[in-house]
Amino acid sequence: MIEKIDLISNRLKELIPKDNNYQKKLFEAANYSLLSPAKRLRPLLVLTTLEAFKKDIKIGIDPALSIELIHTYSLIHDDLPCMDDDDFRRGKPSLHKAYPEWLAILTGDYLLTYAFEIITKANKITDKQKVDLIQSLTKYSGGFGLIAGQVTDLSFEGKKIDFEKLKFMHLNKTAALFIAAVEFGCILANAEQDIKLKFIEFAKSFGLAFQIFDDISDTEDKKSSDIKKDKATAVTILGLKEAKKLASDLQEKGLEILKKLPLDTNDLEKLILKIS
Ligand code: GRG
């Protein structure tokens, strides 16, 4: 795992142009958010999936980082006063607190755009793989993925919602980028369709479990802005005990899917166990 984390951290430092032109503040702001301490779960999931097929993980590094760029843009925009209005992110003041709000919006836009450019320029992968990666990323970050999740999250605020609606929101807001990550690994490994579908099921369980564990720790630490904003979570809908059971069941389901795959899933097992 350390080898993959090092690969991610080192390449991330090289990604944003060292430019001294009039827009240098944009690149400074992008690095402020991107290089702050973070778990890097999504790029790790791309590389770990690829590794399960015994492929060279280096071919996946730039595609893997494109998902981290989309994730970082979504955090920057989510923190804005018009959305979740959070003052801190990744252990530091949110981007709009450290820089003007307009620059935070534009930095998010830049990371979103740059993510796709990086895929087009990736080395050692075919044009067909690039098109497939771009198609996957547009799907999971767009109006039937991450953005759908954010729209429902903001429109449900202050409302009583049932578990079905919560699941829709979490599958899109949180699980979608984890699904993109395993799909990236499968595309890069030229995996068969039936194996890819099993990975997608695994990522749904991974993403939902991750979000529910996050809700549980927020409730136990009483620190979340979701609690302050009267947002529904698995804990408010199901209660703490049921939410804990559901998160562990989903984690168990993910492990079961991995065990049935004809691949070396050792590090994937470690990754899903890490989220609890
Ligand atoms: C603005 C389109 C748009 C979407 C925003 C990411 C997001 C959607 C909202 C952030 C708030 C939130 C609770 C999202 C759920 C997923 C989650 C827990 C994100 C944080 O991911 P981590 O823990 O963060 O992987 P690091 O900083 O480690 O990368």
Side-chain angles (χ1 to χ4, degrees):
M1 204 67 88
I2 305 246
E3 180 209 351
K4 290 188 278 289
I5 293 177
D6 284 349
L7 186 63
I8 290 167
S9 319
N10 293 335
R11 182 67 185 131
L12 212 45
K13 285 185 208 141
E14 301 171 345
L15 219 52
I16 303 300
K18 312 251 172 307
D19 192 299
N20 254 340
N21 225 313
Y22 293 122
Q23 78 274 41
K24 73 174 178 191
K25 278 273 167 207
L26 172 69
F27 301 129
E28 189 186 302
N31 273 327
Y32 176 95
S33 289
L34 213 47
L35 303 183
S36 298
K39 298 182 286 299
R40 315 295 181 206
L41 282 174
R42 295 150 193 84
L44 267 176
L45 202 50
V46 177
L47 300 184
T48 313
T49 302
L50 187 54
E51 192 179 52
F53 292 88
K54 301 218 178 305
K55 302 279 179 187
D56 177 10
I57 57 168
K58 290 195 194 77
I59 67 157
I61 184 61
D62 281 9
L65 291 184
S66 74
I67 303 186
E68 184 68 13
L69 260 59
I70 298 274
H71 169 58
T72 306
Y73 119 72
S74 80
L75 297 175
I76 295 170
H77 281 190
D78 183 63
D79 290 338
L80 290 168
C82 63
M83 296 210 199
D84 239 22
D85 194 12
D86 277 317
D87 293 351
F88 291 93
R89 173 64 61 187
R90 294 180 162 172
K92 295 196 325 206
S94 307
L95 193 62
H96 68 274
K97 288 282 164 188
Y99 290 87
E101 190 177 330
W102 58 264
L103 188 58
I105 295 171
L106 289 170
T107 305
D109 295 340
Y110 163 65
L111 293 174
L112 166 62
T113 318
Y114 191 39
F116 292 95
E117 185 181 337
I118 286 169
I119 299 176
T120 66
K121 290 181 175 162
N123 289 322
K124 296 186 182 150
I125 61 172
T126 65
D127 286 351
K128 163 91 172 78
Q129 283 172 318
K130 290 180 186 180
V131 171
D132 288 350
L133 293 171
I134 290 170
Q135 203 169 37
S136 171
L137 199 52
T138 53
K139 176 174 169 188
Y140 292 111
S141 60
F144 290 92
L146 182 66
I147 296 177
Q150 182 72 347
V151 166
T152 46
D153 181 68
L154 294 170
S155 51
F156 292 160
E157 216 173 282
K159 296 204 175 92
K160 217 172 146 54
I161 58 163
D162 60 16
F163 187 71
E164 271 314 295
K165 284 189 178 140
L166 184 85
K167 193 173 163 193
F168 177 91
M169 181 175 102
H170 286 348
L171 274 175
N172 288 287
K173 193 177 87 164
T174 309
L177 289 188
F178 291 117
I179 302 173
V182 296
E183 197 163 281
F184 267 38
C186 290
I187 292 168
L188 293 163
N190 296 311
E192 300 290 338
Q193 181 70 1
D194 60 327
I195 299 277
K196 194 176 94 178
L197 291 176
K198 290 193 179 112
F199 265 106
I200 290 175
E201 277 314 299
F202 161 76
K204 281 184 187 166
S205 295
F206 186 112
L208 286 176
F210 172 79
Q211 181 63 62
I212 299 169
F213 280 125
D214 193 63
D215 290 343
I216 293 167
S217 80
D218 280 354
T219 309
E220 291 183 330
D221 302 346
K222 294 189 177 53
K223 63 163 194 215
S224 169
S225 62
D226 288 1
I227 298 171
K228 280 181 247 144
K229 287 200 195 84
D230 190 24
K231 278 195 188 186
T233 70
V235 179
T236 64
I237 294 179
L238 302 173
L240 189 57
K241 195 168 157 225
E242 272 303 301
K244 280 185 176 172
K245 182 174 179 323
L246 179 60
S248 327
D249 288 352
L250 285 162
Q251 204 176 25
E252 201 47 50
K253 186 176 163 199
L255 284 168
E256 285 305 312
I257 297 171
L258 291 178
K259 285 200 184 99
K260 288 190 195 131
L261 287 171
L263 303 167
D264 176 4
T265 58
N266 216 2
D267 274 11
L268 284 165
E269 285 165 35
K270 284 191 199 146
L271 214 52
I272 195 169
L273 286 171
K274 230 170 104 124
I275 62 174
S276 47

